[in-house]
Amino acid sequence: MSPVPVWAPDDARGGRPGQEAVRKRAGRAGPAGGWWHAVLVAETPEPLTPLDESWERALCVVAHPDDLEFGAAAAVARWTGQGKSVAYCMVTSGEAGIDGMDPDECRRVREEEQRRSAAVVGVDVVEFLGQPDGVLDYGVPLREVIAAAVRRHRPEIVITGNFHDTWGGASLNQADHIAVGRAVLDAVRDAGNRWIFREQVEGDGLEPWGGVREVWAFGSPRSGHGVDTSETFEAGVASLEAHRAYIDGLGWEHFDAREFLEGNARQTGQRMGVAFAAAFEVFAMGWGG
Ligand SMILES: [Zn+2]
């Protein structure tokens, strides 16, 4: 692959082992007043391990409508195309997501967009947990509503979004994403224990479910696994484009869903030797496994 140019301070010594840095003088002032150099890193990116696809049921749990479409929808289309069952669970309705739209109206619009977006990739079960957009707290109440969803759907795989502090580099993640991802990991374990949130078992007729083998987080800067999405890439684009009111509301000039997704998918594909792919960080949920 072509070298990836990155900016580094002029005392940089060529990065990690395996990277070959070529420095070139460039006329750009660094933050400390010194000169920075463009470091060309001629590195083959680390290969991704193919995800285990020997499962029948997955549940996607994310903070907002549109989250899945920015990193996982093409993969979901692949799996539903294989006959697997995938359900979506939105912790909020993204009602605080459009500056020029009142939350009550926004909730209705975004739920509708999410249902259409899901249908494009073969998902017809879309739930909204009704938690407050933008101000989610990581904690026991959040774990409780997610554990109930896991007990209802009884998935083998749970998919969520990146919940690290950043997307890699300096780009900060969002508070709801971090709260949800952390709560998902805990709620998956809570769901298997009949004495945790026991009113769900004793009063609501839910059974404990300890069958989740792995949690997969898309968009993670620590992704080590991937799945080929070359055949379903277009469905992923259409799925993101279904969030039209949201995308327009962002006010990102010239945002192009295809271009955005293609950049990521192509780069990830190179790590699997395919045209397009989606990357995931895998958390094994078994004890000691
Ligand atoms: Zn989000």
Side-chain angles (χ1 to χ4, degrees):
M1 71 169 289
S2 354
V4 181
V6 293
W7 286 97
D10 60 7
D11 60 353
R13 287 288 178 267
R16 302 192 301 277
Q19 290 180 338
E20 189 191 340
V22 182
R23 273 188 218 135
K24 287 191 178 160
R25 203 66 194 154
R28 175 168 164 178
W35 290 97
W36 283 35
H37 296 210
V39 179
L40 292 179
V41 181
E43 182 190 34
T44 307
E46 231 174 282
L48 294 170
T49 304
L51 284 171
D52 174 6
E53 292 185 295
S54 64
W55 49 271
E56 296 302 320
R57 279 191 319 282
L59 174 66
C60 302
V61 182
V62 292
H64 312 117
D66 83 79
D67 286 355
L68 286 158
E69 290 68 37
F70 276 99
V76 169
R78 171 187 167 101
W79 295 321
T80 57
Q82 292 169 342
K84 300 184 195 310
S85 156
V86 180
Y88 281 5
C89 180
M90 307 289 134
V91 176
T92 81
S93 295
E95 68 273 13
I98 302 179
D99 186 58
M101 195 181 284
D102 183 83
D104 287 339
E105 168 70 357
C106 190
R107 176 192 311 276
R108 194 189 59 72
V109 168
R110 299 206 66 197
E111 289 185 358
E112 183 50 36
E113 285 191 340
Q114 185 61 63
R115 287 193 193 92
R116 265 188 278 128
S117 171
V120 168
V121 293
V123 173
D124 49 19
V125 176
V126 183
E127 287 184 358
F128 298 91
L129 299 185
Q131 302 300 299
D133 184 19
V135 288
L136 289 180
D137 256 337
Y138 167 80
V140 172
L142 186 55
R143 281 165 51 186
E144 185 172 7
V145 291
I146 297 173
V150 172
R151 286 171 171 170
R152 278 196 301 277
H153 292 280
R154 306 170 76 78
E156 298 147 87
I157 300 294
V158 173
I159 295 166
T160 189
N162 170 37
F163 53 96
H164 295 295
D165 289 345
T166 72
W167 296 98
S171 179
L172 283 176
N173 202 348
Q174 194 265 357
D176 287 350
H177 301 160
I178 296 169
V180 166
R182 289 180 60 204
V184 162
L185 283 187
D186 293 331
V188 160
R189 286 184 162 167
D190 298 337
N193 184 331
R194 71 172 58 255
W195 308 119
I196 294 179
F197 309 134
R198 59 192 291 184
E199 63 288 353
Q200 293 176 1
V201 177
E202 292 162 12
D204 303 341
L206 293 172
E207 288 295 316
W209 175 249
V212 178
R213 286 161 20 202
E214 291 180 338
V215 171
W216 297 349
F218 64 87
S220 165
R222 295 190 204 156
S223 295
H225 288 71
V227 62
D228 183 351
T229 54
S230 308
E231 299 290 315
T232 50
F233 176 76
E234 289 303 325
V237 173
S239 188
L240 178 53
E241 282 174 344
H243 292 277
R244 184 39 59 193
Y246 176 67
I247 290 169
D248 289 348
L250 286 173
W252 293 345
E253 251 183 274
H254 313 304
F255 175 77
D256 183 308
R258 177 184 310 277
E259 204 176 283
F260 177 89
L261 293 174
E262 193 171 319
N264 286 337
R266 191 181 297 284
Q267 232 176 14
T268 308
Q270 284 174 339
R271 297 173 68 186
M272 299 193 80
V274 299
F276 297 129
F280 293 81
E281 182 174 4
V282 170
F283 299 87
M285 298 313 294
W287 295 101

